[in-house]
């Protein structure tokens, strides 16, 4: 009984003291705006604090964002929600720019723009621009792109992926697990990979290239066109090397042809219009040639070398040339007519085994011999 009497007495004393100390000075959001010893606050009809009294110059209710703006100064304020939860931040705010209604606020301070997430400071309000976009890198979380003094920083979810040292970046979406970013710094480009759910990233190409563009994926490998010293090459991410060195002046990718053993791409090389023949996968095989001889629509048979002679494909390799050199090659119905050291002969299709010895003085003489057999 004594304990109950003591409790009631203490409660009465508290209520009397509270009622003497706080003064109702207005109504805000249908609640009581109060002054407690010079400190402003808000209480509900049961005298529970909605905004704990503090040294505020004024309190307003933001109906759009459903929060209280508690001013400390003429223009700067703290943010308090209806549950008396104050945003945990070292900054004072000057505006609320966006509210996704899911606990994310884009806010502004005297230093810049930032983000509040679940009533805690997620991105300090110091940036010139903050962009929030739906996940397009890994399909797992939101992306936050922060810009300050012309540099960009990237968060994926809660993970910092890029520090604010890059002028720009663009995403290359590959799959749900690994993706690439083409990064720009001081007018040079590089390439990095990102792994889903991990902060770690890998530098694929340093920021030293004029251009980097994804050409295609082939057998799980990414092929990037790269440009350095005004010359183009091709980088294979799986091989981790340049499968085509930067020696090409122009690469006409739109007019490429896909053939049985690879691709034929019109290029400009040593100031001449030529062709690049490659499969982009073999470690040391690519051909730059002035002319290609086709056996059918998807199989090329021979190329012209730098000495204006012709060489066949070595059938033991995808894109290796047979060492035998010919001055001319002509496709006939009966086989392949070749000219070597001024004499003509006939080789079997594909296997290049001799059908008629290379001894005829002219192509017509060879054709006549074929007819007379």
């Amino acid at each position: 009984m004594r304990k109950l009497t003591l409790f009631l007495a203490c409660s009465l004393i508290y209520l009397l003291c509270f009622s003497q100390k706080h003064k109702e000075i207005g109504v805000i959001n249908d609640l009581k705006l109060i002054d407690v010893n010079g400190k402003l606050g808000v209480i509900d009809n049961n005298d529970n604090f909605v905004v704990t009294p503090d040294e505020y110059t004024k309190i307003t209710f933001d109906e759009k964002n459903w929060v209280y703006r508690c001013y400390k100064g003429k223009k700067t304020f703290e943010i308090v929600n209806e549950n008396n939860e104050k945003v945990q931040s070292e900054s004072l705010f000057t505006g609320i720019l966006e509210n996704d209604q899911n606990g994310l606020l884009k806010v502004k301070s005297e230093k810049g723009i930032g983000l509040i997430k679940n009533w805690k400071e997620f991105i300090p309000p110091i940036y010139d621009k903050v962009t929030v976009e739906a996940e397009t890198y890994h399909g797992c979380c939101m992306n936050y792109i922060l810009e300050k003094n012309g540099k960009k920083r990237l968060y994926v979810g809660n993970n910092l992926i890029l520090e604010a040292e890059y002028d720009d970046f663009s995403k290359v979406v590959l799959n749900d697990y690994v993706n690439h970013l083409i990064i720009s710094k001081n007018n040079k480009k590089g390439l990095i990979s990102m792994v889903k759910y991990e902060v770690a990233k890998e530098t694929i190409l340093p920021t030293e290239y004029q251009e980097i563009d994804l050409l295609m994926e082939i057998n799980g490998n990414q092929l990037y066109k790269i440009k350095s010293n005004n010359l183009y090459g091709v980088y294979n991410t799986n091989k981790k090397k340049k499968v085509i060195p930067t020696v090409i002046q122009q690469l006409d990718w739109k007019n490429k042809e896909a053939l049985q053993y690879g691709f034929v791409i019109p290029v400009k090389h040593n100031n001449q219009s030529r062709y690049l023949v490659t499969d982009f996968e073999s470690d040391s095989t690519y051909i730059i040639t002035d002319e290609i001889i086709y056996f059918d629509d998807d199989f090329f048979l021979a190329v012209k070398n730098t000495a204006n002679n012709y060489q066949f494909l070595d059938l033991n390799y995808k894109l290796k040339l047979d060492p035998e050199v010919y001055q001319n090659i002509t496709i006939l119905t009966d086989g392949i007519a070749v000219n070597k050291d001024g004499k003509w002969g006939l080789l079997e299709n594909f296997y290049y085994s001799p059908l008629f010895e290379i001894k005829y003085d002219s192509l017509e003489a060879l054709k006549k011999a074929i007819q007379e057999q």
Side-chain angles (χ1 to χ4, degrees):
M1 187 68 179
R2 289 182 179 180
K3 289 183 179 181
L4 177 59
T5 303
L6 181 61
F7 172 77
L8 293 173
C10 290
S11 300
L12 180 61
I13 294 172
Y14 172 79
L15 291 173
L16 290 173
C17 292
F18 179 75
S19 61
Q20 290 174 355
K21 288 182 179 179
H22 92 271
K23 180 172 63 174
E24 296 181 17
I25 58 175
V27 176
I28 181 171
N29 191 29
D30 295 329
L31 302 177
K32 301 173 185 177
L33 180 64
I34 61 171
D35 182 309
V36 181
N37 296 326
K39 296 181 179 181
L40 297 183
V42 178
I43 57 175
D44 61 18
N45 295 326
N46 295 317
D47 287 344
N48 297 313
F49 286 125
V50 176
V51 176
T52 301
D54 203 341
E55 294 177 348
Y56 300 126
T57 55
K58 68 175 180 177
I59 299 175
T60 63
F61 183 69
D62 185 337
E63 293 184 0
K64 179 180 179 181
N65 297 294
W66 215 251
V67 296
Y68 292 91
R69 299 187 181 202
C70 304
Y71 285 83
K72 288 190 171 181
K74 292 183 178 180
K75 297 181 178 181
T76 57
F77 56 85
E78 294 179 336
I79 300 173
V80 181
N81 67 17
E82 290 187 298
N83 298 318
N84 198 19
E85 293 177 295
K86 183 191 298 184
V87 168
Q88 299 177 26
S89 173
E90 295 181 359
S91 302
L92 293 174
F93 308 106
T94 58
I96 300 175
L97 305 179
E98 294 178 19
N99 183 352
D100 73 349
Q101 307 300 326
N102 291 310
L104 186 70
L105 296 176
K106 183 184 288 188
V107 295
K108 186 176 182 181
S109 75
E110 292 179 336
K111 294 182 179 179
I113 300 171
L115 293 174
I116 302 302
K117 194 174 184 180
N118 297 325
W119 304 105
K120 296 180 181 179
E121 183 181 272
F122 175 51
I123 303 296
I126 60 172
Y127 292 93
D128 302 327
K129 183 178 179 181
V130 175
T131 302
V132 182
E133 60 181 33
E135 171 54 47
T136 52
Y137 297 100
H138 292 311
C140 69
C141 30
M142 299 297 289
N143 305 315
Y144 309 97
I145 302 170
L146 319 176
E147 300 180 41
K148 187 174 180 64
N149 299 326
K151 302 293 183 181
K152 289 187 176 181
R153 170 181 284 181
L154 172 66
Y155 278 85
V156 175
N158 294 324
N159 295 331
L160 175 63
I161 301 299
L162 293 181
E163 286 287 357
E165 58 178 300
Y166 298 103
D167 304 324
D168 202 1
F169 57 84
S170 59
K171 54 185 174 290
V172 181
V173 179
L174 302 177
N175 54 54
D176 287 338
Y177 187 70
V178 177
N179 288 302
H180 292 164
L181 287 177
I182 298 174
I183 52 179
S184 299
K185 185 177 181 180
N186 300 326
N187 295 320
K188 296 290 185 181
K189 293 188 176 182
L191 186 68
I192 65 172
S193 68
M194 300 188 304
V195 179
K196 186 175 183 178
Y197 302 129
E198 295 182 13
V199 182
K201 54 187 178 294
E202 177 188 2
T203 298
I204 301 174
L205 292 170
T207 49
E208 58 184 37
Y209 293 91
Q210 294 168 276
E211 296 178 18
I212 298 177
D213 295 293
L214 180 67
L215 291 177
M216 66 181 300
E217 286 192 83
I218 179 171
N219 298 329
N221 303 334
Q222 291 81 45
L223 302 177
Y224 283 92
K225 180 177 70 174
I226 56 177
K227 184 179 182 182
S228 179
N229 297 320
N230 295 319
L231 295 173
Y232 292 97
V234 177
Y235 185 88
N236 185 318
T237 56
N238 187 53
K239 297 290 184 181
K240 297 185 178 180
K241 64 179 294 185
K242 298 175 187 177
V243 288
I244 307 297
T246 47
V247 296
I248 297 170
Q249 292 166 291
Q250 292 179 6
L251 185 70
D252 187 2
W253 184 254
K254 289 184 179 179
N255 291 312
K256 68 182 182 301
E257 293 183 74
L259 303 179
Q260 182 176 346
Y261 283 155
F263 297 88
V264 174
I265 307 161
V267 297
K268 185 177 182 181
H269 178 253
N270 290 339
N271 297 316
Q272 296 182 20
S273 295
R274 312 179 85 178
Y275 298 95
L276 169 67
V277 183
T278 179
D279 63 3
F280 293 120
E281 293 190 74
S282 301
D283 288 338
S284 59
T285 54
Y286 71 92
I287 302 165
I288 297 177
T289 180
D290 295 331
E291 183 182 346
I292 300 173
I293 296 178
Y294 293 91
F295 182 78
D296 57 30
D297 290 339
D298 68 347
F299 181 82
F300 61 90
L301 193 66
V303 298
K304 183 185 283 188
N305 63 25
T306 55
N308 287 324
N309 293 317
Y310 294 88
Q311 291 176 266
F312 286 107
L313 285 174
D314 186 330
L315 296 179
N316 294 316
Y317 301 90
K318 279 189 175 182
L319 287 176
K320 187 175 180 180
L321 295 180
D322 189 274
E324 199 69 40
V325 174
Y326 302 95
Q327 283 72 57
N328 206 337
I329 295 175
T330 301
I331 305 298
L332 301 178
T333 304
D334 300 286
I336 306 168
V338 296
N339 180 287
K340 186 176 181 64
D341 300 329
K343 299 294 182 178
W344 286 88
L346 188 70
L347 304 181
E348 186 181 1
N349 291 336
F350 298 114
Y351 299 103
Y352 315 144
S353 55
L355 297 175
F356 284 79
E357 186 180 351
I358 302 176
K359 64 177 183 178
Y360 298 91
D361 294 329
S362 67
L363 179 59
E364 292 303 319
L366 173 62
K367 289 180 179 179
K368 184 178 180 181
I370 294 172
Q371 291 175 353
E372 292 176 350
Q373 71 172 350

